[in-house]
């Protein structure tokens, strides 16, 4: 950390990268997770590294959807555990959501490390490690098919930050509503989820918590109204336009 001066023009991005690197050193993040972060960084750059209007409306819709859920579950992978463990626990507490560890590159030791980190940040119950409550999600071949029967398997709303497209599709096919955070508006996950927050999870997780807190005072009719007005395809197309407009603006100064 000391190697990155506070005055560096790219300090925010570099510090996020450091979280991933220490997450890798501490056995939370898969090697491939570092590459996933790089892909995210590139899209973040194109988006202007800010939470745009489209991301804000997806965050509001996501909050309404989580508050309307019978059972919402936050799926945690290595990258998310390294980037925002405190916020995951805060979101779960604010919305009475469950937390489940679910890895693409499955590895028991890494799962244990993620559980320990979440507990250190205040989580009480974490699903996804008990073989006695294992269930299988159909239509998916990766390790992500193994879920907890009291968690993702039973959920009506699943929050899947930094996801791969296969499981999003499998979750949708099994009738669940999927909320994702993905900086790439073109990814299969982004295109398949019900609500896609095209933003860096490190910026938007706090905003989601804040929106959940504010909307928790509203009745179901108001929450349903927010959802009715939200159109994920249109919102994704606006995120793509945000990239295009940002590039147009930047090209004037090139
Ligand atoms: O810990 P595991 O084993 O479950 O593995 C996790 C990763 C992320 C490695 C795995 O799910 C994976 O390979 O994901 P993908 O297919 O690379 O997709 C990750 C998506 O997240 C990409 O579209 C990236 O652009 C996006 N992304 C990366 N970093 C961020 C991000 N989106 C939001 N915030 C970020 N910080």
């Amino acid at each position: 950390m000391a190697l990155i001066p506070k005055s560096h023009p790219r300090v925010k991005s570099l510090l996020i990268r450091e979280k991933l690197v220490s997450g890798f050193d501490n056995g939370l993040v898969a090697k491939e997770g570092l590459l996933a972060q790089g892909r995210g960084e590139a899209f973040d750059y194109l988006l202007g590294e800010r939470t745009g209007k489209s991301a804000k409306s997806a965050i509001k819709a996501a909050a309404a959807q989580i508050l309307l859920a019978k059972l919402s579950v936050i799926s945690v992978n290595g990258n998310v555990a390294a980037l925002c463990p405190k916020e995951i626990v805060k979101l779960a507490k604010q919305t009475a959501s469950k937390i489940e560890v679910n890895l693409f590159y499955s590895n028991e030791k890494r799962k244990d490390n993620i559980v320990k980190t979440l507990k250190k940040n205040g989580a009480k119950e974490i699903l996804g490690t008990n073989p006695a409550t294992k269930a299988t999600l159909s239509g998916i071949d990766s390790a992500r098919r193994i879920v907890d029967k009291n968690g993702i398997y039973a959920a009506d709303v699943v929050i899947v930050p930094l996801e791969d497209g296969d499981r999003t599709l499998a979750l949708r096919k099994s009738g669940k509503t999927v909320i994702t955070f993905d900086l790439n508006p073109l990814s299969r996950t982004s295109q398949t989820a019900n609500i896609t927050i095209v933003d860096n999870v490190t910026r938007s997780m706090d905003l989601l918590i804040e929106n959940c807190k504010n909307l928790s005072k509203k009745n179901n009719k108001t929450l349903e109204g927010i959802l009715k007005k939200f159109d994920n395809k249109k919102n994704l197309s606006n995120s793509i336009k945000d990239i295009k407009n940002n590039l147009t603006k930047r090209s004037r100064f090139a």
Side-chain angles (χ1 to χ4, degrees):
M1 293 280 192
L3 290 178
I4 302 167
K6 279 201 189 101
S7 57
H8 194 287
R10 308 267 325 131
V11 67
K12 267 196 195 160
S13 173
L14 294 176
L15 289 177
I16 297 174
R17 193 182 280 185
E18 280 316 295
K19 284 192 182 180
L20 259 297
V21 172
S22 29
F24 176 74
D25 290 341
N26 295 329
L28 299 173
V29 175
K31 257 189 234 154
E32 294 81 355
L34 300 175
L35 299 173
Q37 169 69 14
R39 181 150 57 171
E41 277 179 9
F43 278 98
D44 207 6
Y45 208 96
L46 298 178
L47 279 159
E49 292 173 316
R50 58 184 194 90
T51 307
K53 224 168 116 187
S54 354
K56 283 183 188 154
S57 65
I59 290 169
K60 190 171 177 190
Q65 183 67 82
I66 294 168
L67 292 169
L68 283 168
K70 286 193 193 78
L71 172 60
S72 51
V73 176
I74 309 166
S75 180
V76 177
N77 64 19
N79 286 44
V80 177
L83 288 173
C84 45
K86 211 176 3 147
E87 291 79 4
I88 292 287
V89 177
K90 218 167 147 189
L91 178 66
K93 285 189 178 159
Q94 174 68 44
T95 59
S97 299
K98 291 189 178 181
I99 301 177
E100 180 166 338
V101 179
N102 181 281
L103 303 182
F104 183 78
Y105 301 100
S106 188
N107 170 321
E108 291 309 311
K109 181 78 194 120
R110 200 151 62 83
K111 264 192 187 175
D112 284 350
N113 293 336
I114 293 171
V115 168
K116 275 189 198 130
T117 297
L118 292 169
K119 286 202 168 153
K120 232 192 316 181
N121 282 280
K124 295 272 176 288
E125 190 195 19
I126 298 154
L127 305 173
T129 56
N130 184 357
T133 52
K134 228 165 66 172
T136 305
L137 204 63
S138 59
I140 170 170
D141 294 329
S142 79
R144 281 204 154 140
R145 70 187 184 284
I146 309 298
V147 292
D148 195 296
K149 72 171 184 198
N150 302 313
I152 290 172
Y153 195 77
D156 57 337
V157 175
V158 191
I159 304 140
V160 293
L162 279 77
E163 180 68 7
D164 69 285
D166 282 0
R167 188 169 65 134
T168 305
L169 192 60
L171 289 169
R172 287 289 315 263
K173 280 191 177 157
S174 62
K176 299 178 194 305
T177 299
V178 181
I179 298 168
T180 193
F181 295 76
D182 194 330
L183 278 160
N184 177 3
L186 306 168
S187 78
R188 276 188 313 133
T189 302
S190 286
Q191 301 281 335
T192 313
N194 299 78
I195 301 174
T196 308
I197 300 166
V198 180
D199 194 17
N200 198 314
V201 72
T202 58
R203 280 194 300 270
S204 44
M205 199 52 98
D206 270 333
L207 283 177
L208 179 58
I209 297 165
E210 201 182 296
N211 272 255
C212 287
K213 196 171 168 197
N214 294 339
L215 291 181
S216 65
K217 295 163 202 136
K218 304 284 181 197
N219 60 28
N220 281 6
K221 207 166 157 230
T222 307
L223 299 177
E224 280 155 10
I226 292 170
L227 275 181
K228 222 171 176 182
K229 270 201 254 156
F230 181 77
D231 178 338
N232 204 43
K233 289 279 173 229
K234 208 159 134 199
N235 207 54
L236 278 170
S237 146
N238 287 337
S239 295
I240 296 166
K241 282 184 198 142
D242 286 346
I243 293 180
K244 192 176 132 214
N245 293 339
N246 190 35
L247 288 177
T248 307
K249 207 162 76 191
R250 296 292 297 265
S251 69
R252 291 198 198 112
F253 303 105

